[in-house]
Amino acid sequence: MHNLISIADLNKSEILKILTLAQAFKEGLNKRSLVGKVIGTCFFESSTRTRLSFESATARLGGQTIGFADSGTTSLVKGESLVDTLKIISCYADLLIIRHPLDGAARLASEVCSIPVINAGDGANQHPSQTLLDLFSILDSQGRLEGINLGIMGDLKYSRTVHSLVSAAKLFNMQLYFIAPKALRIDDEHLFMLKKAGIHYSFHLKLDEVIDKLDCVYLTRLQKERYVDSVILDNYKITLDVLDKARPNLKILHPLPRQEELPIEIDTTPHAYYFTQAHNGLYIRQALLDILFTSEMKG
Protein backbone atom coordinates (compact mmCIF):
# COMPACT_ATOMS: atom_id res chain seq x y z
CA MET A 1 0.00 0.00 0.00
CA HIS A 2 1.07 3.58 -0.45
CA ASN A 3 -0.17 7.12 0.18
CA LEU A 4 -2.25 9.38 -2.04
CA ILE A 5 -1.13 12.91 -1.27
CA SER A 6 -1.14 14.45 -4.76
CA ILE A 7 -2.69 13.40 -8.05
CA ALA A 8 0.92 13.30 -9.28
CA ASP A 9 1.38 10.21 -7.09
CA LEU A 10 -0.59 8.30 -9.75
CA ASN A 11 0.42 7.64 -13.33
CA LYS A 12 -2.05 7.43 -16.19
CA SER A 13 -2.34 3.66 -16.00
CA GLU A 14 -3.09 3.75 -12.27
CA ILE A 15 -5.72 6.46 -12.74
CA LEU A 16 -7.47 4.43 -15.45
CA LYS A 17 -7.40 1.35 -13.21
CA ILE A 18 -9.18 3.29 -10.46
CA LEU A 19 -11.75 4.66 -12.92
CA THR A 20 -12.44 1.18 -14.30
CA LEU A 21 -13.02 -0.24 -10.83
CA ALA A 22 -15.22 2.74 -9.93
CA GLN A 23 -17.38 1.96 -12.96
CA ALA A 24 -17.74 -1.61 -11.71
CA PHE A 25 -18.89 -0.33 -8.31
CA LYS A 26 -21.35 2.00 -10.04
CA GLU A 27 -22.73 -1.00 -11.92
CA GLY A 28 -23.29 -2.91 -8.67
CA LEU A 29 -20.02 -4.62 -7.76
CA ASN A 30 -20.13 -5.77 -4.13
CA LYS A 31 -16.82 -6.28 -2.31
CA ARG A 32 -15.97 -6.62 1.38
CA SER A 33 -12.29 -5.84 1.19
CA LEU A 34 -12.24 -3.67 4.36
CA VAL A 35 -13.69 -6.21 6.80
CA GLY A 36 -11.73 -5.90 10.02
CA LYS A 37 -10.16 -2.57 8.94
CA VAL A 38 -10.53 0.74 10.74
CA ILE A 39 -10.30 3.99 8.73
CA GLY A 40 -9.46 7.23 10.49
CA THR A 41 -11.34 10.21 9.01
CA CYS A 42 -9.70 13.28 10.47
CA PHE A 43 -11.18 16.52 9.19
CA PHE A 44 -9.52 19.61 10.61
CA GLU A 45 -11.61 21.59 8.11
CA SER A 46 -15.32 21.36 7.29
CA SER A 47 -16.56 18.84 4.74
CA THR A 48 -19.82 17.24 3.66
CA ARG A 49 -19.35 15.30 0.43
CA THR A 50 -15.76 14.16 0.88
CA ARG A 51 -16.11 13.00 4.48
CA LEU A 52 -19.48 11.30 4.11
CA SER A 53 -18.60 9.59 0.82
CA PHE A 54 -15.39 8.18 2.35
CA GLU A 55 -17.34 6.98 5.38
CA SER A 56 -20.05 5.46 3.18
CA ALA A 57 -17.45 3.80 0.95
CA THR A 58 -15.75 2.33 4.02
CA ALA A 59 -19.03 0.94 5.37
CA ARG A 60 -20.00 -0.55 2.01
CA LEU A 61 -16.64 -2.32 1.84
CA GLY A 62 -17.19 -3.78 5.32
CA GLY A 63 -14.89 -1.48 7.28
CA GLN A 64 -15.41 0.90 10.18
CA THR A 65 -14.52 4.56 10.68
CA ILE A 66 -13.27 6.55 13.61
CA GLY A 67 -12.41 10.22 13.62
CA PHE A 68 -13.79 13.71 13.86
CA ALA A 69 -15.35 16.45 11.74
CA ASP A 70 -14.27 19.27 14.06
CA SER A 71 -10.73 19.64 15.37
CA GLY A 72 -12.18 21.61 18.26
CA THR A 73 -13.10 18.29 19.85
CA THR A 74 -9.49 17.06 19.87
CA SER A 75 -6.51 17.66 22.14
CA LEU A 76 -5.27 20.31 19.74
CA VAL A 77 -7.34 22.73 21.82
CA LYS A 78 -5.19 21.70 24.80
CA GLY A 79 -2.02 22.64 22.94
CA GLU A 80 -1.10 19.25 21.48
CA SER A 81 0.96 19.55 18.29
CA LEU A 82 -0.40 18.40 14.95
CA VAL A 83 2.45 15.87 14.66
CA ASP A 84 1.61 14.30 18.02
CA THR A 85 -2.08 14.19 17.15
CA LEU A 86 -1.35 12.41 13.86
CA LYS A 87 0.98 9.91 15.50
CA ILE A 88 -1.65 9.03 18.09
CA ILE A 89 -4.40 8.60 15.49
CA SER A 90 -2.16 6.28 13.47
CA CYS A 91 -2.04 3.96 16.50
CA TYR A 92 -5.79 3.34 16.25
CA ALA A 93 -6.47 3.08 12.50
CA ASP A 94 -5.26 1.15 9.47
CA LEU A 95 -5.44 4.17 7.13
CA LEU A 96 -5.76 7.90 7.68
CA ILE A 97 -7.90 10.26 5.60
CA ILE A 98 -7.00 13.85 6.43
CA ARG A 99 -8.31 17.30 5.51
CA HIS A 100 -6.46 20.30 6.83
CA PRO A 101 -6.47 24.05 6.05
CA LEU A 102 -2.67 24.24 5.68
CA ASP A 103 -0.83 23.42 2.46
CA GLY A 104 1.43 20.43 3.00
CA ALA A 105 -0.38 19.04 6.04
CA ALA A 106 -1.20 15.76 4.28
CA ARG A 107 2.43 15.33 3.18
CA LEU A 108 3.48 15.89 6.79
CA ALA A 109 0.98 13.25 7.91
CA SER A 110 2.43 10.74 5.46
CA GLU A 111 5.90 11.38 6.88
CA VAL A 112 5.03 10.96 10.57
CA CYS A 113 2.30 8.30 10.44
CA SER A 114 2.99 4.57 10.34
CA ILE A 115 -0.10 3.92 8.18
CA PRO A 116 -1.12 4.95 4.64
CA VAL A 117 -2.52 8.46 4.24
CA ILE A 118 -5.07 9.86 1.78
CA ASN A 119 -5.18 13.62 1.29
CA ALA A 120 -8.79 14.81 1.44
CA GLY A 121 -7.73 18.41 0.76
CA ASP A 122 -4.88 20.48 2.18
CA GLY A 123 -5.27 24.23 1.97
CA ALA A 124 -5.04 25.52 -1.59
CA ASN A 125 -2.71 22.69 -2.54
CA GLN A 126 -4.23 19.36 -3.66
CA HIS A 127 -7.42 17.28 -3.51
CA PRO A 128 -6.57 14.08 -5.41
CA SER A 129 -9.68 12.00 -4.72
CA GLN A 130 -11.82 14.91 -5.97
CA THR A 131 -9.80 14.89 -9.18
CA LEU A 132 -10.37 11.17 -9.62
CA LEU A 133 -14.13 11.65 -9.34
CA ASP A 134 -13.91 14.65 -11.70
CA LEU A 135 -12.11 12.52 -14.29
CA PHE A 136 -14.63 9.72 -13.77
CA SER A 137 -17.46 12.21 -14.29
CA ILE A 138 -15.94 13.53 -17.51
CA LEU A 139 -15.50 9.97 -18.77
CA ASP A 140 -19.00 8.97 -17.67
CA SER A 141 -20.65 11.98 -19.33
CA GLN A 142 -18.55 12.20 -22.49
CA GLY A 143 -17.46 8.61 -23.10
CA ARG A 144 -13.79 9.61 -23.27
CA LEU A 145 -11.05 11.56 -21.56
CA GLU A 146 -8.61 12.08 -24.41
CA GLY A 147 -8.85 15.41 -26.21
CA ILE A 148 -11.68 16.88 -24.12
CA ASN A 149 -12.24 20.63 -24.39
CA LEU A 150 -12.46 21.60 -20.74
CA GLY A 151 -13.41 25.06 -19.49
CA ILE A 152 -12.40 25.87 -15.92
CA MET A 153 -14.09 28.94 -14.46
CA GLY A 154 -13.89 30.88 -11.20
CA ASP A 155 -11.16 31.02 -8.60
CA LEU A 156 -8.27 29.26 -10.34
CA LYS A 157 -5.56 30.70 -8.11
CA TYR A 158 -6.64 29.34 -4.74
CA SER A 159 -8.79 26.32 -5.64
CA ARG A 160 -7.15 23.00 -4.74
CA THR A 161 -9.66 21.13 -6.88
CA VAL A 162 -8.53 23.14 -9.90
CA HIS A 163 -4.84 22.60 -9.16
CA SER A 164 -5.32 18.83 -8.95
CA LEU A 165 -7.55 18.67 -12.02
CA VAL A 166 -5.13 20.65 -14.19
CA SER A 167 -2.30 18.34 -13.13
CA ALA A 168 -4.32 15.33 -14.30
CA ALA A 169 -5.69 16.92 -17.48
CA LYS A 170 -2.22 16.96 -19.03
CA LEU A 171 -2.18 13.16 -18.99
CA PHE A 172 -5.16 13.06 -21.33
CA ASN A 173 -4.22 15.79 -23.80
CA MET A 174 -7.15 17.98 -22.81
CA GLN A 175 -7.45 21.49 -24.21
CA LEU A 176 -7.96 23.89 -21.32
CA TYR A 177 -9.87 27.17 -21.35
CA PHE A 178 -9.20 29.21 -18.19
CA ILE A 179 -12.06 31.62 -17.45
CA ALA A 180 -11.32 33.92 -14.52
CA PRO A 181 -10.57 37.48 -13.44
CA LYS A 182 -6.92 38.33 -14.07
CA ALA A 183 -6.21 38.45 -10.34
CA LEU A 184 -7.46 34.87 -9.88
CA ARG A 185 -5.78 33.20 -12.85
CA ILE A 186 -3.96 29.94 -12.30
CA ASP A 187 -0.39 30.24 -11.06
CA ASP A 188 2.74 30.18 -13.22
CA GLU A 189 3.91 26.86 -11.79
CA HIS A 190 0.92 25.02 -13.23
CA LEU A 191 1.19 26.90 -16.53
CA PHE A 192 4.83 25.89 -16.83
CA MET A 193 3.83 22.27 -16.20
CA LEU A 194 1.23 22.47 -18.98
CA LYS A 195 3.69 24.07 -21.42
CA LYS A 196 6.24 21.37 -20.68
CA ALA A 197 3.63 18.71 -21.39
CA GLY A 198 2.58 20.38 -24.66
CA ILE A 199 -0.97 21.08 -23.47
CA HIS A 200 -2.81 23.91 -25.21
CA TYR A 201 -4.51 26.44 -22.95
CA SER A 202 -6.00 29.91 -23.27
CA PHE A 203 -7.30 32.69 -21.00
CA HIS A 204 -10.76 34.21 -21.15
CA LEU A 205 -12.67 36.78 -19.10
CA LYS A 206 -16.16 35.50 -19.92
CA LEU A 207 -17.68 32.07 -20.48
CA ASP A 208 -19.66 33.12 -23.54
CA GLU A 209 -16.37 33.65 -25.40
CA VAL A 210 -15.80 29.87 -25.51
CA ILE A 211 -19.02 28.13 -24.43
CA ASP A 212 -19.64 26.78 -27.95
CA LYS A 213 -16.26 25.00 -27.93
CA LEU A 214 -16.57 23.15 -24.62
CA ASP A 215 -17.41 19.56 -23.77
CA CYS A 216 -17.37 20.26 -20.02
CA VAL A 217 -17.19 23.38 -17.89
CA TYR A 218 -15.80 23.04 -14.38
CA LEU A 219 -17.02 25.74 -12.00
CA THR A 220 -15.55 26.90 -8.73
CA ARG A 221 -16.95 29.60 -6.51
CA LEU A 222 -15.48 33.08 -6.41
CA GLN A 223 -15.03 33.76 -2.71
CA LYS A 224 -16.53 37.07 -1.67
CA GLU A 225 -13.76 37.64 0.82
CA ARG A 226 -11.37 37.87 -2.14
CA TYR A 227 -13.69 39.45 -4.71
CA VAL A 228 -16.56 41.44 -3.24
CA ASP A 229 -17.48 43.38 -6.37
CA SER A 230 -20.91 42.07 -7.38
CA VAL A 231 -20.35 43.15 -11.00
CA ILE A 232 -17.28 40.95 -11.20
CA LEU A 233 -19.12 38.07 -9.54
CA ASP A 234 -21.90 38.35 -12.12
CA ASN A 235 -19.39 37.74 -14.92
CA TYR A 236 -18.67 34.27 -13.59
CA LYS A 237 -22.16 32.85 -13.31
CA ILE A 238 -23.70 30.17 -15.49
CA THR A 239 -26.90 31.54 -17.05
CA LEU A 240 -29.60 30.07 -19.23
CA ASP A 241 -28.77 32.60 -21.94
CA VAL A 242 -25.15 31.44 -22.08
CA LEU A 243 -26.23 27.79 -22.20
CA ASP A 244 -28.30 28.53 -25.31
CA LYS A 245 -24.97 28.68 -27.16
CA ALA A 246 -23.61 25.44 -25.68
CA ARG A 247 -22.99 22.16 -27.45
CA PRO A 248 -25.68 19.52 -26.77
CA ASN A 249 -23.12 17.33 -25.01
CA LEU A 250 -21.89 20.06 -22.62
CA LYS A 251 -21.93 19.02 -18.97
CA ILE A 252 -21.47 21.36 -16.01
CA LEU A 253 -19.25 20.10 -13.20
CA HIS A 254 -18.82 21.70 -9.78
CA PRO A 255 -17.07 20.34 -6.65
CA LEU A 256 -19.73 22.04 -4.51
CA PRO A 257 -20.86 23.75 -2.35
CA ARG A 258 -22.21 26.27 -4.81
CA GLN A 259 -23.16 29.87 -4.44
CA GLU A 260 -24.27 32.53 -6.93
CA GLU A 261 -22.11 31.13 -9.73
CA LEU A 262 -24.50 28.21 -10.25
CA PRO A 263 -28.18 29.27 -9.93
CA ILE A 264 -30.75 26.60 -9.12
CA GLU A 265 -32.54 27.14 -12.44
CA ILE A 266 -29.60 25.41 -14.11
CA ASP A 267 -30.46 22.19 -12.23
CA THR A 268 -33.26 21.26 -14.63
CA THR A 269 -31.21 21.69 -17.82
CA PRO A 270 -29.70 18.68 -19.60
CA HIS A 271 -26.27 20.21 -18.98
CA ALA A 272 -26.44 19.85 -15.17
CA TYR A 273 -24.22 17.00 -13.99
CA TYR A 274 -22.90 18.17 -10.62
CA PHE A 275 -25.18 16.09 -8.40
CA THR A 276 -24.31 12.97 -10.37
CA GLN A 277 -20.70 14.07 -10.04
CA ALA A 278 -21.06 14.17 -6.25
CA HIS A 279 -22.65 10.71 -6.27
CA ASN A 280 -19.71 9.44 -8.32
CA GLY A 281 -17.50 10.31 -5.36
CA LEU A 282 -18.83 7.25 -3.56
CA TYR A 283 -17.74 4.88 -6.33
CA ILE A 284 -14.34 6.49 -6.74
CA ARG A 285 -13.63 6.29 -3.01
CA GLN A 286 -14.79 2.68 -2.88
CA ALA A 287 -12.36 1.92 -5.71
CA LEU A 288 -9.52 3.85 -4.10
CA LEU A 289 -9.90 2.19 -0.70
CA ASP A 290 -10.30 -1.27 -2.24
CA ILE A 291 -7.15 -0.84 -4.32
CA LEU A 292 -5.10 0.48 -1.41
CA PHE A 293 -6.01 -2.52 0.73
CA THR A 294 -5.78 -5.24 -1.92
CA SER A 295 -2.59 -3.91 -3.57
CA GLU A 296 -4.25 -4.08 -6.98
CA MET A 297 -2.41 -0.85 -7.83
CA LYS A 298 0.75 -2.92 -8.11
CA GLY A 299 -0.79 -5.39 -10.52
Side-chain angles (χ1 to χ4, degrees), residues 89-162:
I89 293 168
S90 69
C91 296
Y92 306 141
D94 299 295
L95 180 143
L96 173 66
I97 299 166
I98 180 173
R99 169 170 289 186
H100 198 280
L102 295 180
D103 293 13
R107 183 70 65 188
L108 174 66
S110 72
E111 293 170 353
V112 302
C113 289
S114 58
I115 57 176
V117 174
I118 295 176
N119 181 5
D122 61 331
N125 186 29
Q126 285 276 319
H127 194 349
S129 68
Q130 177 69 45
T131 297
L132 290 170
L133 79 89
D134 294 339
L135 292 174
F136 182 77
S137 296
I138 293 171
L139 178 62
D140 187 57
S141 66
Q142 303 298 323
R144 62 188 174 93
L145 286 171
E146 297 288 341
I148 288 291
N149 288 343
L150 177 62
I152 307 179
M153 184 168 82
D155 183 351
L156 312 188
K157 184 175 182 179
Y158 298 102
S159 171
R160 60 191 173 210
T161 62
V162 169

Side-chain angles (χ1 to χ4, degrees), residues 10 34 39 70 73 77 115 129 156 166 184 200 269 296 298:
L10 302 172
L34 266 61
I39 307 301
D70 179 5
T73 64
V77 299
I115 57 176
S129 68
L156 312 188
V166 167
L184 294 178
H200 183 271
T269 72
E296 290 180 18
K298 299 177 182 178

Side-chain angles (χ1 to χ4, degrees), residues 46-104:
S46 61
S47 172
T48 300
R49 284 151 294 278
T50 302
R51 181 174 63 85
L52 293 181
S53 61
F54 264 123
E55 291 180 358
S56 180
T58 299
R60 290 166 189 265
L61 293 171
Q64 295 179 302
T65 57
I66 60 172
F68 51 84
D70 179 5
S71 60
T73 64
T74 73
S75 290
L76 287 170
V77 299
K78 301 177 182 178
E80 184 173 64
S81 70
L82 176 61
V83 168
D84 284 359
T85 297
L86 294 172
K87 285 183 176 180
I88 292 299
I89 293 168
S90 69
C91 296
Y92 306 141
D94 299 295
L95 180 143
L96 173 66
I97 299 166
I98 180 173
R99 169 170 289 186
H100 198 280
L102 295 180
D103 293 13

Side-chain angles (χ1 to χ4, degrees), residues 49 69 81 84 113 119 174 185 201 250 257 262 278-279 282:
R49 284 151 294 278
S81 70
D84 284 359
C113 289
N119 181 5
M174 295 184 186
R185 284 183 176 176
Y201 62 84
L250 176 82
L262 186 54
H279 196 172
L282 170 63

